[in-house]
């Protein structure tokens, strides 16, 4: 016989009559809310959970860890404190504010959605799940998060953290990467989540997934308020749940990255306006590996500049969701920046042009050269 505290009542579960999934999920509400009250981390977007702030934080947090998001969030809020400022920001400034966070379409969609909010909703972020879902870049998770955290509506927000917690509590062996599984959990929570304190509930679920039922490594079950209700823990299945079907391997692309410098200026170029890292800036690069001699020959014969030196900078790797870039880099001193590139100074590189993280391994070296 196992006892669970459920909204002040004790829920008794016996081996002979286990709780149904609905009963089990209703039983997590009480312990989850009490735990959140005493364990929630103090985070900038929680101080005043106003819709705009919740929205921006949730979009930033989609692919990035809390600690990494904090400085971006502070900078973004200072630069663009409300929907109007976001709707009116110049694209290049927006990309610069987002530089390093990755998935740049998230930022472009933020601006698009801000335009719609200005135009169709008089500058007020809409409250309901259904209205939020119509906005560019807002899917079921973000719509649920904004509506429940900022407006107190009892709608679920199921992200990777919540999928992990729920699949373990319910002992679900389904593939959590499938949309149908996420939808199923959303439907269950819609039925079972509390009608009050929805902000604490949504954030509590996410918080348990982030700091107790952790994404990498062993879950801290001894700290978990849901331990006595968790079937995966009870049956020793924490290593196999959550289940994720193996993904197909990423495509590998080999590149040579050139830091071309000439009298304190460096060469950059704008990427095409479609596809991976669209419209961002990058260092010149080729779609295959080049030796130092080949780099010299390419720049002298095809780009008509005089190469003074070519220094190998070693290899670097960047992993995108479907592609990996395997790069080798060279620092090249030339008599002039080849005409097809933009010639930029250190200050401009720092303040104006957004260079994606994929080039991070070489960026610092260039900054030193331009100092
Ligand atoms: N990850 C996603 N959303 C979050 C939130 N609101 N607080 C902490 N971590 C999160």
């Amino acid at each position: 016989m196992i006892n669970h505290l459920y909204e002040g009542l004790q829920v008794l579960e016996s081996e002979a009559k286990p709780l149904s999934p609905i009963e089990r999920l209703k039983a997590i509400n009480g312990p989850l809310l009490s735990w959140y009250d005493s364990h929630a981390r103090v985070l900038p977007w929680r101080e005043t959970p106003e819709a705009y702030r919740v929205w921006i934080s949730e979009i930033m947090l989609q692919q990035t860890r809390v600690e990494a998001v904090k400085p971006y969030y502070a900078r973004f809020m200072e630069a663009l404190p409300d929907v109007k400022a976001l709707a009116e920001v110049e694209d290049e400034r927006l990309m610069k504010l987002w530089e390093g966070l990755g998935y740049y379409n998230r930022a472009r969609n933020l601006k698009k959605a801000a335009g719609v909010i200005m135009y169709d909703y008089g500058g007020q972020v809409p409250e309901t799940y259904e209205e939020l879902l119509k906005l560019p870049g807002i899917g079921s998770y973000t719509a649920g998060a904004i509506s429940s955290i900022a407006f107190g509506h009892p709608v679920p927000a199921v992200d990777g953290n919540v999928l992990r917690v729920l699949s373990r509590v319910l002992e679900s062996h389904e593939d959590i990467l499938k949309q149908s599984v996420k939808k199923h959990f959303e439907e269950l929570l819609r039925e079972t989540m509390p009608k009050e304190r929805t902000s604490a509930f949504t954030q509590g679920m996410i918080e348990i997934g982030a700091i107790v039922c952790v994404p990498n490594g062993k879950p801290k079950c001894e700290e978990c308020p849901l331990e006595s209700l968790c079937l995966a823990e009870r049956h020793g299945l924490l290593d196999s749940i959550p289940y994720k079907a193996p993904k197909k391997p990423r495509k590998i692309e080999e590149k040579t990255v050139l830091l071309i410098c000439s009298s304190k200026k460096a060469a950059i170029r704008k990427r095409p306006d479609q596809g991976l890292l669209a419209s961002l800036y990058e260092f010149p690069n080729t779609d295959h590996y080049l030796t130092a001699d080949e780099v010299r020959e390419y720049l002298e014969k095809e780009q008509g500049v005089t190469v003074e030196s070519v220094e190998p900078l070693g290899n670097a790797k960047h992993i995108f969701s479907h592609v990996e870039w395997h790069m080798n880099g060279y620092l090249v001193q030339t008599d002039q920046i080849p005409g097809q590139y933009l010639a930029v100074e250190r200050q401009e590189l720092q303040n104006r042009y957004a260079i994606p993280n994929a080039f991070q391994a070489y960026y610092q070296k260039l900054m030193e050269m331009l100092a």
Side-chain angles (χ1 to χ4, degrees):
M1 195 76 82
I2 300 158
N3 295 342
H4 310 296
L5 280 178
Y6 159 42
E7 288 173 1
L9 296 170
Q10 282 219 318
V11 177
L12 299 179
E13 182 173 24
S14 69
E15 293 290 328
K17 191 174 181 310
L19 298 177
S20 71
I22 293 285
E23 287 168 333
R24 190 172 302 283
L25 289 187
K26 282 187 177 167
I28 71 176
N29 294 347
L32 178 78
L33 291 173
S34 322
W35 177 86
Y36 186 71
D37 288 343
S38 50
H39 291 81
R41 287 171 294 177
V42 176
L43 298 174
W45 44 90
R46 290 185 179 161
E47 285 159 17
T48 41
E50 182 253 307
Y52 178 69
R53 296 170 60 85
V54 172
W55 173 32
I56 302 301
S57 68
E58 289 301 342
I59 299 293
M60 286 187 173
L61 287 161
Q62 268 169 29
Q63 311 284 347
T64 316
R65 288 173 308 105
V66 165
E67 285 311 312
V69 161
K70 282 181 182 172
Y72 282 98
Y73 180 78
R75 203 162 49 117
F76 195 96
M77 280 300 151
E78 187 164 319
L80 307 174
D82 52 32
V83 178
K84 183 166 185 289
L86 174 57
E88 291 172 355
V89 69
E90 270 185 27
D91 289 350
E92 296 226 334
R93 177 136 188 263
L94 179 63
M95 289 302 112
K96 194 67 193 166
L97 285 165
W98 207 262
E99 182 187 53
L101 273 174
Y103 301 90
Y104 292 81
N105 279 339
R106 291 184 295 164
R108 293 197 185 90
N109 279 330
L110 279 176
K111 179 176 164 177
K112 277 191 212 153
V116 177
I117 296 171
M118 290 308 294
Y119 197 77
D120 289 347
Y121 297 94
Q124 300 297 315
V125 177
E127 279 198 23
T128 67
Y129 177 84
E130 289 73 21
E131 291 298 311
L132 286 160
L133 208 50
K134 291 184 198 161
L135 296 170
I138 297 196
S140 64
Y141 166 73
T142 313
I146 298 171
S147 191
S148 64
I149 297 173
F151 296 113
H153 290 258
V155 285
V158 176
D159 71 348
N161 290 312
V162 178
L163 283 168
R164 185 167 52 258
V165 175
L166 291 180
S167 58
R168 282 179 168 161
V169 167
L170 298 174
E171 195 186 327
S172 161
H173 294 269
E174 300 285 332
D175 178 0
I176 59 161
L177 298 177
K178 278 191 178 163
Q179 275 307 310
S180 57
V181 172
K182 178 170 158 176
K183 196 152 178 281
H184 175 62
F185 285 141
E186 286 169 350
E187 283 163 3
L188 288 176
L189 281 188
R190 230 173 228 276
E191 210 173 310
T192 63
M193 73 183 279
K195 302 288 171 266
E196 311 278 323
R197 306 211 55 212
T198 59
S199 172
F201 179 81
T202 290
Q203 296 196 77
M205 285 297 289
I206 296 168
E207 196 77 342
I208 288 190
I211 65 178
V212 177
C213 201
V214 290
N216 300 305
K218 205 169 148 353
K220 302 173 183 168
C221 298
E222 61 293 348
E223 296 173 24
C224 185
L226 312 182
E227 188 190 8
S228 68
L229 284 157
C230 180
L231 292 176
E233 142 81 358
R234 196 181 301 168
H235 299 147
L237 294 169
L238 292 166
D239 287 340
S240 49
I241 298 178
Y243 172 70
K244 291 183 194 173
K247 287 193 199 155
K248 71 173 197 227
R250 294 186 199 91
K251 191 169 145 220
I252 293 180
E253 292 180 358
E254 295 179 339
K255 291 184 176 293
T256 299
V257 177
L258 304 177
L259 306 182
I260 305 172
C261 295
S262 182
S263 46
K264 300 288 174 206
K265 289 198 170 187
I268 62 169
R269 66 182 176 194
K270 194 167 188 169
R271 288 182 59 84
D273 59 9
Q274 296 291 322
L276 186 67
L277 304 174
S279 303
L280 298 172
Y281 290 85
E282 66 177 1
F283 305 128
N285 58 81
T286 61
D287 285 341
H288 45 275
Y289 287 147
L290 295 175
T291 64
D293 285 344
E294 286 165 342
V295 168
R296 182 181 287 275
E297 191 176 312
Y298 166 69
L299 288 174
E300 294 201 331
K301 293 220 173 104
E302 292 187 34
Q303 308 220 10
V305 295
T306 303
V307 172
E308 288 155 13
S309 63
V310 181
E311 181 193 331
L313 297 174
N315 298 330
K317 186 152 89 170
H318 189 80
I319 299 178
F320 298 94
S321 24
H322 302 296
V323 187
E324 285 182 25
W325 281 2
H326 292 195
M327 296 168 277
N328 73 348
Y330 294 95
L331 176 65
V332 191
Q333 294 283 353
T334 53
D335 65 332
Q336 56 181 305
I337 298 293
Q340 64 171 294
Y341 302 125
L342 277 168
V344 297
E345 291 172 359
R346 183 186 156 99
Q347 277 285 320
E348 293 174 291
L349 209 47
Q350 259 173 339
N351 301 330
R352 175 154 177 208
Y353 297 101
I355 307 275
N357 257 3
F359 298 97
Q360 185 67 29
Y362 302 115
Y363 187 90
Q364 212 42 47
K365 180 75 185 174
L366 186 62
M367 282 297 164
E368 286 163 23
M369 293 312 298
L370 299 179

